Amino acid sequence: KATIFLTLLGERGFRKMAELNVERSHEACRALKKVRGVKLFSDAPFFNEFTLRIDKDPARLGRALWERRIVGPLDLGRFGAKWRRHYLVAVTEQRTAEDIGRLCEAIRGA
């Protein structure tokens, strides 16, 4: 399926999709950093995934996301105590400004 998709997309389409990935992920990162208690884990360059430290109770945050039918961000705390309250956020070209806004609101409400 992926091969067919990429073939149909073509070189220009693939480039446009990649540019949208970068654009949307950086838009999301900027918006999320404005939420109280949210900090970017690293200033390293990224494509469409980045890690945040979110100073919210993980269980409450999980419920707030679930109630709004938001899948992710990935709770890295499940991989060890050192990663507690760290989350991997992945944003693709398919996410809209409204989606990003809903994620920000869910985190604020947790």
Side-chain angles (χ1 to χ4, degrees):
K1 288 182 181 182
T3 304
I4 294 169
F5 172 73
L6 293 174
T7 301
L8 292 172
L9 201 56
E11 186 178 335
R12 275 193 251 167
F14 184 74
R15 182 178 196 80
K16 180 64 176 167
M17 184 179 71
E19 289 169 352
L20 282 171
N21 268 269
V22 171
E23 189 178 301
R24 300 270 166 77
S25 64
H26 284 77
E27 175 187 329
C29 185
R30 283 190 300 274
L32 288 161
K33 288 190 319 184
K34 292 178 183 175
V35 176
R36 186 178 188 162
V38 175
K39 293 186 178 25
L40 185 62
F41 176 70
S42 169
D43 287 330
F46 63 91
F47 178 66
N48 68 341
E49 293 181 342
F50 52 94
T51 302
L52 297 175
R53 175 169 169 78
I54 303 176
D55 291 326
K56 302 277 185 173
D57 175 65
R60 267 185 90 174
L61 179 57
R63 279 192 304 277
L65 294 168
W66 178 256
E67 288 168 0
R68 291 167 177 83
R69 304 183 85 168
I70 297 172
V71 177
L74 176 63
D75 180 0
L76 297 176
R78 64 197 249 184
F79 300 108
K82 127 181 185 179
W83 295 107
R84 190 173 193 293
R85 297 183 188 231
H86 287 80
Y87 297 84
L88 180 65
V89 180
V91 181
T92 69
E93 78 285 353
Q94 295 182 353
R95 295 300 117 223
T96 65
E98 291 79 23
D99 294 331
I100 294 165
R102 285 181 44 240
L103 176 57
C104 291
E105 285 304 314
I107 294 171
R108 274 189 199 98

